[in-house]
């Protein structure tokens, strides 16, 4: 009976931990499915998941390194950003994580100006343990925003907190970005996302096909992979259009119909 009771208690503790993590994920605004397990590890890093998790552990958990994820549209920056957030939440049980797009940060800043609510705005982003900010290249649109984020960055850095950013280009190539921000963005780890090769593009399409009840011929998947090379979002969108057309017609499409 004692052993059975112990298993029950352990199971209940695990369930409580999982529910607590779910609540923190929701509070940080991370999509549930965008985790490390669902990222294509053979693209763009050419590393497997274990190696990437080791990098995350060494960089983000033990050394608390800042990072900027750099890559063009549709290459998975936001997915990897959310995956970083999920990972850090799972490793830091008591940590406060804030995820925000630059657009939302700007809108909240404007709202703080209009309603004279600077203290709550600054407390929200300067009291967290980990700040994840997406599409940081949009900061270059305004000097006031750059000033505000510069001080937020400094407060977090001086408190030995972590900052993870994403951008569609390296900091040195962001037009009108102040030099003092450029230097700070380059303090930590830079992860450069590259377009996937053809083999990986085919693998991405085949992975989507696994959960589909409508078969799409392999020659069509190869055709898509060969012609859509730089944007995974477009690649998946093309697959979705073919899937929808097949569903409407009630049969698989031929290559000549694509």
């Amino acid at each position: 009976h004692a052993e059975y009771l112990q298993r029950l208690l352990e199971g209940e503790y695990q369930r409580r931990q999982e529910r607590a993590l779910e609540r923190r994920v929701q509070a940080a605004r991370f999509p549930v499915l965008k985790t490390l397990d669902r990222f294509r590890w053979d693209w763009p890093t050419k590393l497997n998941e274990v190696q990437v998790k080791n990098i995350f552990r060494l960089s983000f958990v033990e050394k608390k390194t800042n990072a900027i994820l750099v890559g063009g549209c549709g290459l998975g920056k936001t997915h990897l950003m959310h995956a970083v957030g999920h990972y850090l939440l799972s490793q830091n049980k008591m940590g406060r994580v804030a995820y925000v797009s630059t657009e939302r940060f700007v809108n909240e800043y404007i709202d703080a100006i209009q309603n004279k609510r600077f203290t709550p705005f600054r407390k929200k982003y300067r009291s967290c343990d980990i700040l994840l900010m997406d599409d940081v290249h949009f900061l270059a649109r305004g000097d006031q925003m750059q000033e505000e984020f510069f001080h937020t960055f400094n407060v977090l850095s001086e408190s030995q907190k972590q900052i993870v950013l994403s951008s569609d280009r390296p900091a040195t190539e962001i037009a009108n970005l102040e030099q003092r921000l450029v230097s700070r963005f380059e303090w930590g780890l830079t992860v450069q996302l590259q377009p996937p090769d053809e083999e990986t593009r085919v693998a991405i399409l085949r992975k989507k096909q696994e959960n589909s009840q409508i078969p799409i011929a392999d020659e069509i998947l190869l055709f898509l992979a060969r012609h859509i090379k730089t944007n995974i979002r477009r690649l998946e969108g093309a697959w979705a259009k073919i899937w929808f057309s097949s569903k409407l017609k009630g049969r698989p499409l031929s290559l000549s119909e694509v």
Side-chain angles (χ1 to χ4, degrees):
H1 291 292
E3 184 179 344
Y4 175 71
L5 180 59
Q6 180 66 23
R7 288 200 301 270
L8 283 179
L9 291 174
E10 289 175 353
E12 179 60 25
Y13 175 78
Q14 181 64 30
R15 286 190 292 273
R16 288 184 178 182
Q17 290 290 94
E18 290 173 354
R19 287 196 294 269
L21 181 57
E22 287 176 3
R23 288 193 295 270
R24 294 171 69 214
V25 166
Q26 292 171 355
R29 302 192 186 100
F30 297 138
V32 175
L33 297 179
K34 290 190 175 181
T35 62
L36 290 174
D37 298 330
R38 291 176 177 264
F39 197 75
R40 287 293 309 180
W41 294 115
D42 51 349
W43 160 73
T45 61
K46 301 299 180 184
L47 300 173
N48 63 40
E49 186 177 345
V50 173
Q51 290 173 307
V52 173
K53 284 186 176 180
N54 282 337
I55 291 173
F56 276 27
R57 177 177 55 81
L58 290 171
S59 299
F60 298 142
V61 178
E62 294 183 11
K63 293 186 178 180
K64 295 189 175 180
T65 304
N66 294 335
I68 181 167
L69 313 178
V70 179
C73 180
L75 291 184
K77 296 188 302 297
T78 299
H79 186 141
L80 193 53
M81 174 79 74
H82 292 151
V84 170
H86 278 284
Y87 183 78
L88 293 174
L89 279 174
S90 69
Q91 299 298 308
N92 188 344
K93 303 299 182 184
M94 301 302 293
R96 292 166 295 178
V97 178
Y99 166 80
V100 65
S101 67
T102 299
E103 180 183 10
R104 187 182 184 94
F105 185 85
V106 169
N107 288 338
E108 290 184 9
Y109 175 72
I110 293 171
D111 183 70
I113 292 175
Q114 293 174 340
N115 295 290
K116 299 180 180 180
R117 292 178 53 83
F118 275 114
T119 299
F121 172 78
R122 288 171 175 162
K123 182 178 179 181
K124 177 180 179 179
Y125 293 111
R126 299 184 186 184
S127 64
C128 60
D129 298 295
I130 303 159
L131 174 63
L132 299 105
M133 191 162 175
D134 214 354
D135 293 328
V136 75
H137 47 275
F138 289 130
L139 279 176
R141 294 177 177 177
D143 293 340
Q144 279 186 298
M145 278 309 313
Q146 293 189 54
E147 179 79 17
E148 180 66 26
F149 188 70
F150 172 78
H151 293 299
T152 297
F153 193 105
N154 282 348
V155 168
L156 292 173
S157 295
E158 290 167 4
S159 303
Q160 296 185 316
K161 307 303 183 182
Q162 281 178 277
I163 304 161
V164 182
L165 311 171
S166 80
S167 173
D168 67 356
R169 71 207 77 165
T172 53
E173 297 178 14
I174 301 176
N176 302 319
L177 186 66
E178 294 179 6
Q179 189 58 42
R180 57 181 180 172
L181 280 177
V182 172
S183 66
R184 279 158 178 76
F185 289 179
E186 293 185 321
W187 272 356
L189 179 70
T190 297
V191 180
Q192 183 74 49
L193 305 184
Q194 301 293 342
D197 56 27
E198 183 176 320
E199 180 182 352
T200 304
R201 295 196 299 273
V202 172
I204 290 170
L205 293 174
R206 286 176 177 163
K207 184 68 175 178
K208 292 189 70 67
Q209 190 66 24
E210 285 179 7
N211 300 319
S212 172
Q213 296 178 346
I214 299 176
I216 296 177
D218 211 50
E219 62 176 351
I220 293 179
L221 300 184
L222 291 171
F223 176 82
L224 293 178
R226 286 171 184 157
H227 287 81
I228 304 176
K229 301 178 180 180
T230 60
N231 190 315
I232 296 306
R233 197 174 293 127
R234 280 188 59 208
L235 183 68
E236 293 180 331
W239 178 89
K241 289 177 183 177
I242 293 170
W243 181 92
F244 187 69
S245 296
S246 298
K247 186 174 180 65
L248 286 178
K249 294 184 177 183
R251 60 172 177 80
L253 298 185
S254 65
L255 182 58
S256 62
E257 294 177 287
V258 173

